[in-house]
Amino acid sequence: MNIAGFIARKVAFNNQQSFSRFIIRLAIAATTISVAAMILALAFTNGFQSAISQKIFNFWGHIRVQHYEPSKSVISEEYPIDRNDTVEQLKQTIPGIRGIQAYATKNSILKTEESLEGVLFKGIDRFYDSVRLKSFLKEGRWMNYPDSGYSNEIVLSAYTAGQLKLKLNDPILIYFIQNDGSPPRARKLTVSGIYKTGIEEYDKLIAIGDIRLIQRLNNWTADQVGGYEVFLENQEDMDQINEAIFSRLPMLWNSKTIFEIYPNIFDWLALQDQTIGITLIIMIIVAVLNLITCLIILVLERTRMVGILKALGANDKTIQQIFLYHGALITLLGIVLGNILGFTLLWLQNKFKFIRLPEDMYYIDKAEILVIPWQILAVNFGTFLICLAVLTIPSLIVRNIQPVKAIQFK
């Protein structure tokens, strides 16, 4: 029989009213709250990073292929490139690519009777996978593409539509800026849909329409486009696939990951990892300090028991194990309750969305959740092992307890 474990269980589940019983409950509560806080912090941070990253990937792809332009700004017109069968068939030659789609952009000005608004007109074709953009569409539909000519419809952001006081099916006059210095060319389009990404850089600048309109205005052929958006199965493979794509591109073509194009946003998201690291450290320290305090009180309250056990022949190691087992039981109970509390709150947030965020500041309007199993396991095992290791310190007190004095202790 494991004597230390047997005595620890008897002490732990003793119903006798005592001060240590209150301290034990306090230690369990502190461990529960610490573990739940770590689970919530990880799930919310992961969800926050994933939701914003996915918005950017869905709107612009993971990798962008364009003509090489070293001085080109992030959002501006592209130098035309000819459609390339090698690039368009990369999906079949490079594993991990989900789709490749052509696009082009053109600077333009939207005009109503009351106001003007500058936008970057993003042209896409009928084969563009609009399912990725479906979550952004708040009203209406995407453009209809006629068999010939170009679509006379446009999808505006909620911000732009609000600034111009436009609604669905309203006509809008759009002036396209010509790069050759000639006067802007005007077209009358109809608002078919209104989208909102929550990302200010997109909502204030991007309008979506037919790529054939840009080709006609720029005097491009039907085979000329502004570039390609490459969508991946797994964003973790972005750098590796980008290198593989670059090696297959024609001369004077270039490919960039979305991390390189929008470094500020992704650097900001990466900073969340530092914040979560600090949170985890603080929560573990809280749990450890409470457990240390609890164990010291238990040792002091059980001084007579320690003296009797020593008088009966128990060695210091066995008595230390009793208190370590006791501390382990408290820690395990706190971890189990912490998981129950943490996942209950996550379930409630996922169902009722009661934690809301200002979208203009955080790019999302509610706290998103993403649970990564290995992180939860790491929190549970890490908390248990750290607490158990630290609990050896107060258990050393038993070595200095003398049986004769301990038996007389009250």
Side-chain angles (χ1 to χ4, degrees):
M1 177 185 292
N2 186 342
I3 298 298
F6 174 77
I7 296 175
R9 287 192 295 273
K10 287 293 184 181
V11 173
F13 300 111
N14 181 13
N15 292 324
Q16 181 182 355
Q17 294 291 338
S18 63
F19 179 67
S20 62
R21 187 178 181 185
F22 167 75
I23 295 299
I24 289 171
R25 290 180 176 178
L26 190 63
I28 292 172
T31 306
T32 298
I33 293 171
S34 295
V35 172
M38 287 188 280
I39 291 172
L40 291 171
L42 285 169
F44 284 135
T45 301
N46 292 333
F48 180 75
Q49 292 174 324
S50 177
I52 296 174
S53 298
Q54 202 57 50
K55 279 187 176 187
I56 297 172
F57 298 147
N58 286 341
F59 205 84
W60 278 117
H62 296 82
I63 298 171
R64 201 180 298 178
V65 176
Q66 296 174 324
H67 193 280
Y68 179 67
E69 298 175 75
S71 59
K72 181 181 180 296
S73 63
V74 173
I75 299 181
S76 62
E77 294 185 34
E78 306 82 18
Y79 190 84
I81 57 177
D82 292 323
R83 287 185 180 271
N84 186 289
D85 291 338
T86 301
V87 174
E88 294 185 352
Q89 293 174 6
L90 287 174
K91 184 178 179 181
Q92 285 72 44
T93 59
I94 300 178
I97 294 180
R98 189 173 60 189
I100 299 175
Q101 296 178 327
Y103 76 98
T105 61
K106 191 168 183 62
N107 293 315
S108 57
I109 297 173
L110 297 172
K111 182 180 183 301
T112 63
E113 294 181 357
E114 297 180 356
S115 59
L116 301 170
E117 195 72 24
V119 297
L120 187 71
F121 185 90
K122 179 181 179 181
I124 57 179
D125 59 29
R126 68 173 67 205
F127 304 109
Y128 196 93
D129 186 4
S130 59
V131 172
R132 297 188 182 94
L133 304 177
K134 185 177 180 180
S135 61
F136 302 139
L137 193 64
K138 302 304 179 184
E139 298 180 55
R141 55 174 173 78
W142 299 108
M143 301 81 62
N144 287 326
Y145 292 89
D147 293 333
S148 60
Y150 59 84
S151 174
N152 63 352
E153 295 179 329
I154 187 173
V155 177
L156 300 178
S157 71
Y159 172 84
T160 303
Q163 291 293 105
L164 298 175
K165 299 179 181 178
L166 293 171
K167 302 184 297 294
L168 290 179
N169 302 317
D170 282 352
I172 179 69
L173 195 61
I174 181 168
Y175 291 89
F176 291 95
I177 310 301
Q178 299 301 105
N179 293 329
D180 58 6
S182 59
R185 301 176 67 176
R187 292 291 186 277
K188 190 174 183 178
L189 305 178
T190 302
V191 178
S192 67
I194 295 175
Y195 79 89
K196 183 179 182 181
T197 66
I199 300 177
E200 187 177 20
E201 288 85 344
Y202 300 162
D203 291 344
K204 286 189 175 182
L205 291 175
I206 306 296
I208 302 173
D210 192 342
I211 192 173
R212 290 178 296 182
L213 175 55
I214 295 178
Q215 290 170 335
R216 177 172 296 190
L217 292 167
N218 289 344
N219 296 318
W220 293 356
T221 68
D223 288 330
Q224 288 184 304
V225 296
Y228 290 99
E229 295 170 350
V230 182
F231 297 87
L232 307 183
E233 298 287 353
N234 187 350
Q235 69 182 69
E236 303 298 329
D237 301 328
M238 200 181 307
D239 292 330
Q240 178 184 349
I241 293 177
N242 183 50
E243 291 179 6
I245 291 174
F246 183 78
S247 65
R248 290 168 169 80
L249 294 179
M251 284 287 272
L252 298 180
W253 284 34
N254 189 31
S255 65
K256 283 186 177 182
T257 67
I258 208 71
F259 290 159
E260 297 174 270
I261 297 172
Y262 296 107
N264 292 340
I265 293 178
F266 289 100
D267 287 345
W268 172 60
L269 291 177
L271 283 175
Q272 310 306 313
D273 293 331
Q274 297 181 15
T275 304
I276 198 66
I278 295 171
T279 302
L280 295 180
I281 291 171
I282 292 173
M283 290 299 102
I284 290 176
I285 290 174
V286 170
V288 165
L289 290 177
N290 276 276
L291 287 169
I292 289 175
T293 304
C294 175
L295 200 60
I296 290 174
I297 292 173
L298 287 174
V299 172
L300 294 175
E301 192 175 63
R302 299 288 174 175
T303 300
R304 291 188 66 188
M305 182 189 78
V306 172
I308 293 171
L309 289 173
K310 282 191 174 185
L312 292 173
N315 57 34
D316 290 335
K317 182 178 179 181
T318 300
I319 298 173
Q320 278 184 262
Q321 287 177 347
I322 292 173
F323 291 102
L324 285 176
Y325 279 132
H326 198 173
L329 289 172
I330 295 171
T331 304
L332 281 173
L333 182 57
I335 289 173
V336 171
L337 293 177
N339 278 264
I340 293 172
L341 176 61
F343 282 106
T344 299
L345 292 174
L346 290 177
W347 178 80
L348 291 172
Q349 170 62 18
N350 190 53
K351 185 173 180 63
F352 299 108
K353 312 293 184 185
F354 56 87
I355 300 179
R356 312 295 297 186
L357 299 172
E359 193 171 18
D360 56 338
M361 294 179 61
Y362 294 100
Y363 299 159
I364 53 177
D365 60 356
K366 57 184 176 293
E368 298 289 348
I369 295 168
L370 176 61
V371 176
I372 300 177
W374 73 262
Q375 290 183 345
I376 305 301
L377 292 174
V379 165
N380 290 327
F381 283 108
T383 301
F384 180 75
L385 293 176
I386 291 172
C387 289
L388 199 61
V390 175
L391 287 177
T392 59
I393 299 172
S395 68
L396 295 174
I397 296 174
V398 301
R399 293 180 178 271
N400 298 320
I401 296 177
Q402 298 177 4
V404 176
K405 292 183 178 181
I407 293 172
Q408 297 175 347
F409 181 80
K410 293 184 180 180

